[in-house]
């Protein structure tokens, strides 16, 4: 049996089970308002079904993880595809733990889409098993990555409950300056989520179309002695080039909607072999995300927050605030061990130093300091309610930048994780 191929089938099964679990949670929460019989019995029944289906999804995800590990001979956390799939699995584990404590079905309605997005995002990256570079061939990799991801998974659950809290308490009919400001920021958060969804959908649409464009880019390199050398690199695009690489020539380019040449050139200050492709991806993400958001607003004729807000009726905001705090309180020590202590031990083994101010190390420290400040403000200054919820949302944005922005945009010793 080819265990790696079997693991891919298990991964697909997990993805669809998560999708169905989310739909069943929506039925449990939203259908409660429309049930002609006992609303509580309706919610309980569908919540139970949703949890069972989600748990089956987690079982399939665990099957993917261990069969890929067995088939490849190495723990599947060594590149962006494997790490993001592991993070999605860790979020599900964190959700199951928090749900076992609080038993709030509405949490599943927000946590499951986050898992689906993470899993879908992972599928954007190459899925082939890649041999470990020497720095990754260490037991400390397994300990460092898995514990760091588990800590981040609890932060993700806190993000979900924090966003739910804001959708529950923000007055979407208010006309005051404070109410409008809160409405705008909640709506902007939802807009960013729509942009991420559009990015994933756009990648798969163009991949399904088999779109390709190729360029040759001339790069000027200056070494430590000031000697200038010129190299020519091939750059391949899988989406139509709104921005072509700086100082490049078209080799071949598929036509798309009559577009048979790049619209713009990447600015010179972004010179680099992957800079143009990354800028092009960002441009397509914002373009398609804005289009999707505009279509949703046109169809619904209301801000997205105002549409979701009524679903939060009957949910005790204090429960959501407590879930947010508890999730961060559980995740923080796990993240501290994984992302800092175990990471420094591994860094000393791999690079002969505990700390080197690598971009990934710096942003891991920023994340740790941010959540340290959250706990300090919560416990010492009494920051609860909306301030606490906003910090939970912002904190997870920092986590995602550390995972995605640093890996894919900023070069460093951790750049091997950003295979794209």
């Amino acid at each position: 049996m080819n265990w790696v191929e079997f693991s891919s089938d298990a991964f697909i099964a997990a993805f669809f089970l998560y999708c169905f679990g989310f739909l069943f949670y929506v039925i449990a929460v939203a259908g409660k308002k429309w049930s002609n019989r006992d609303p509580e019995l309706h919610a309980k029944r569908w919540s139970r079904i949703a949890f069972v289906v989600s748990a089956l999804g987690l079982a399939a995800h665990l099957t993917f993880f261990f069969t890929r590990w067995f088939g490849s001979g190495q723990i599947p956390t060594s590149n962006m595809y494997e790490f993001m799939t592991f993070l999605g699995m860790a979020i599900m584990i964190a959700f199951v733990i928090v749900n076992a404590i609080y038993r709030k079905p509405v949490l599943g309605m927000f946590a499951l889409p986050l898992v689906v997005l993470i899993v879908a995002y992972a599928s954007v990256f190459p899925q082939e098993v890649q041999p470990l570079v020497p720095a990754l061939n260490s037991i400390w990799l397994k300990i460092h990555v898995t514990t760091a991801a588990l800590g981040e998974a609890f932060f993700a659950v806190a993000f979900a409950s924090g966003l739910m809290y804001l959708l529950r308490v923000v007055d979407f009919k208010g006309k005051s300056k404070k109410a409008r400001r809160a409405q705008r920021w909640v709506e902007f958060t939802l807009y960013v989520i729509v942009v991420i969804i559009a990015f994933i959908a756009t990648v798969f649409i163009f991949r399904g179309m088999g779109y390709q464009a190729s360029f040759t880019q001339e790069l000027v390199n200056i070494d430590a002695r000031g000697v200038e050398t010129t190299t020519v690199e091939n750059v391949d695009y899988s989406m139509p080039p709104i921005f072509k690489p700086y100082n490049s020539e078209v080799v071949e380019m598929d036509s798309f909607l009559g577009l048979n040449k790049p619209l713009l050139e990447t600015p010179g200050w972004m010179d680099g072999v992957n800079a143009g492709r990354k800028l092009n991806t960002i441009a397509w993400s914002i373009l398609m995300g804005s289009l999707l958001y505009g279509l949703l607003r046109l169809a619904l004729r209301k801000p997205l927050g105002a549409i979701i807000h009524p679903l939060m009726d009957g949910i005790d905001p204090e429960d959501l605030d407590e879930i947010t705090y508890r999730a961060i309180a559980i995740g923080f020590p796990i993240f501290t061990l994984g992302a800092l202590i175990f990471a420094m031990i591994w860094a000393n083994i791999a690079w002969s130093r505990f700390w080197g101010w690598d971009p990934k190390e710096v942003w891991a420290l920023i994340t740790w300091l941010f959540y340290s400040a959250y706990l300090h403000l919560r416990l010492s200054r009494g920051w609860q309610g909306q301030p606490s919820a906003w910090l939970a949302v912002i904190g997870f944005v920092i986590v995602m930048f550390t995972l995605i922005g640093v890996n894919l945009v900023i070069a460093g010793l951790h750049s091997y994780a950003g295979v794209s």
Side-chain angles (χ1 to χ4, degrees):
M1 177 184 288
N2 188 321
W3 289 106
V4 174
E5 289 184 5
F6 179 78
S7 72
S8 297
D9 295 335
F11 182 70
I12 294 171
F15 175 78
F16 283 105
L17 284 167
Y18 290 150
C19 290
F20 283 118
F22 163 63
L23 291 175
F24 293 149
Y25 271 119
V26 171
I27 293 172
V29 175
K32 182 179 176 181
K33 298 178 178 298
W34 307 320
S35 177
N36 295 325
R37 298 181 180 178
D38 187 346
E40 293 299 328
L41 181 62
H42 169 92
K44 227 177 249 189
R45 182 186 299 119
W46 281 102
S47 296
R48 194 176 300 117
I49 294 171
F51 182 78
V52 169
V53 172
S54 302
L56 289 174
L58 177 58
H61 207 151
L62 286 164
T63 301
F64 156 80
F65 179 76
F66 287 109
T67 53
R68 187 176 175 92
W69 190 346
F70 181 77
S72 65
Q74 61 193 40
I75 187 170
T77 55
S78 59
N79 55 43
M80 278 296 284
Y81 169 71
E82 293 178 342
F83 179 79
M84 296 308 289
T85 57
F86 182 82
L87 179 61
M89 184 175 73
I91 293 173
M92 269 306 300
I93 293 171
F95 163 70
V96 168
I97 292 172
V98 174
N99 187 70
I101 299 172
Y102 293 98
R103 298 188 180 279
K104 295 292 181 182
V106 72
L107 183 60
M109 195 174 78
F110 283 80
L112 264 294
L114 192 56
V115 175
V116 170
L117 275 178
I118 295 289
V119 168
Y121 176 71
S123 301
V124 168
F125 297 94
Q127 301 175 20
E128 297 80 12
V129 174
Q130 299 167 351
L132 287 175
V133 298
L136 297 179
N137 194 15
S138 168
I139 184 64
W140 289 104
L141 165 73
K142 303 176 180 66
I143 300 172
H144 153 55
V145 174
T146 53
T147 49
L150 187 58
E152 290 163 348
F154 280 99
F155 296 159
V157 173
F159 165 80
S161 57
L163 182 58
M164 287 163 52
Y165 181 92
L166 295 171
L167 288 166
R168 172 68 178 84
V169 302
V170 169
D171 182 9
F172 286 92
K173 295 181 179 178
K175 303 297 183 182
S176 67
K177 186 177 180 180
K178 182 179 179 180
R180 286 186 178 276
R181 184 169 60 248
Q183 293 166 20
R184 283 195 298 269
W185 280 111
V186 170
E187 196 66 15
F188 178 75
T189 304
L190 296 174
Y191 166 77
V192 171
I193 294 172
V194 171
V195 168
I196 295 171
I197 294 171
F199 159 69
I200 296 169
T202 302
V203 169
F204 282 107
I205 288 171
F206 284 117
R207 183 178 293 177
M209 293 169 57
Y211 184 88
Q212 288 185 334
S214 298
F215 303 86
T216 54
Q217 182 179 14
E218 188 174 286
L219 298 172
V220 177
N221 305 299
I222 303 175
D223 63 19
R225 296 172 298 174
V227 178
E228 184 177 297
T229 58
T230 302
T231 59
V232 177
E233 299 284 349
N234 294 322
V235 183
D236 297 322
Y237 280 34
S238 58
M239 290 187 281
I242 297 175
F243 289 92
K244 73 168 187 173
Y246 174 73
N247 197 22
S248 66
E249 297 293 335
V250 177
V251 176
E252 61 174 333
M253 178 177 166
D254 294 341
S255 179
F256 175 72
L257 298 179
L259 179 67
N260 52 20
K261 64 178 182 178
L263 294 177
L264 301 167
E265 184 176 52
T266 301
W269 58 269
M270 294 186 69
D271 188 16
V273 69
N274 290 315
R277 184 167 53 192
K278 291 169 182 176
L279 179 59
N280 193 63
T281 298
I282 293 170
W284 270 107
S285 300
I286 294 174
L287 178 65
M288 298 305 292
S290 299
L291 178 62
L292 178 58
Y293 177 79
L295 290 173
L296 288 171
R297 285 293 304 268
L298 188 64
L300 299 173
R301 298 187 178 183
K302 282 184 180 181
L304 301 187
I307 296 294
I308 301 172
H309 175 71
L311 298 177
M312 300 292 104
D313 287 348
I315 305 297
D316 188 347
E318 292 186 3
D319 286 346
L320 296 175
D321 185 57
E322 176 70 12
I323 291 171
T324 302
Y325 164 65
R326 291 297 175 190
I328 292 176
I330 294 171
F332 182 76
I334 301 173
F335 181 81
T336 302
L337 286 171
L340 293 181
I341 297 175
F342 295 151
M344 287 190 289
I345 294 172
W346 173 43
N348 186 55
I349 294 171
W351 302 307
S352 301
R353 88 298 187 270
F354 288 101
W355 189 267
W357 299 103
D358 183 71
K360 189 69 173 288
E361 294 170 327
V362 171
W363 278 94
L365 178 61
I366 290 172
T367 302
W368 183 83
L369 290 172
F370 183 91
Y371 282 104
S372 298
Y374 169 91
L375 291 172
H376 170 72
L377 293 170
R378 173 90 186 195
L379 298 174
S380 300
R381 300 297 180 90
W383 278 35
Q384 298 182 0
Q386 285 200 44
S388 174
W390 277 118
L391 287 177
V393 170
I394 295 169
F396 192 64
V397 171
I398 296 173
V399 169
M400 294 311 295
F401 180 79
T402 303
L403 294 178
I404 299 171
V406 174
N407 276 339
L408 300 182
V409 178
I410 303 175
L413 290 173
H414 290 77
S415 295
Y416 53 74
V419 178
S420 61

